[in-house]
Amino acid sequence: DVEKTELVACLDRTNETFVRTCEGYESDEGDETFSVQLYDAEYSVKLYVAQTGEEIATTSLKATNEDCPMLAFFDEGEKTQVEYASPDKLLRQFVQKYVAP
């Protein structure tokens, strides 16, 4: 519900660092193999009051990507997928003090 939304967080990936390539993903038929490239990532975060647009906080978050995904879905013609570390947990910790109980 848009009217009840308290905050809006805008993230911008500002840096990425290659970690490794995960290989061995196979098509359903088993006749093709695919890979996933993992990257650590840094994000610039701005937090806004949803109703007024007032900026209330900023921070930077560094997320790491250590484990290869168990499953990966590839678009037709795509042999390699790029996956950037997600800052989900760090973002929740950051906004928690700004959310009304």
Side-chain angles (χ1 to χ4, degrees):
D1 186 358
V2 176
E3 291 180 12
K4 293 180 182 178
T5 301
E6 294 180 38
L7 303 172
V8 174
C10 296
L11 282 73
D12 182 31
R13 191 174 58 245
T14 57
N15 193 21
E16 65 240 9
T17 304
F18 177 74
V19 175
R20 69 180 173 148
T21 300
C22 303
E23 300 192 21
Y25 298 92
E26 295 181 357
S27 65
D28 291 339
E29 296 79 27
D31 59 347
E32 291 184 276
T33 59
F34 305 91
S35 63
V36 176
Q37 293 179 343
L38 299 181
Y39 286 83
D40 288 344
E42 295 179 30
Y43 298 87
S44 169
V45 181
K46 293 184 179 182
L47 193 60
Y48 298 93
V49 176
Q51 301 303 319
T52 65
E54 174 190 0
E55 183 179 306
I56 57 171
T58 62
T59 193
S60 295
L61 302 175
K62 293 181 182 181
T64 57
N65 211 352
E66 299 173 7
D67 299 323
C68 292
M70 184 178 292
L71 295 172
F73 297 94
F74 297 84
D75 291 330
E76 188 173 332
E78 179 182 41
K79 291 293 219 173
T80 302
Q81 186 181 95
V82 175
E83 185 174 302
Y84 298 100
S86 172
D88 293 350
K89 291 178 186 176
L90 298 170
L91 182 61
R92 280 193 293 274
Q93 290 172 351
F94 172 66
V95 301
Q96 188 174 11
K97 63 184 170 186
Y98 299 100
V99 176

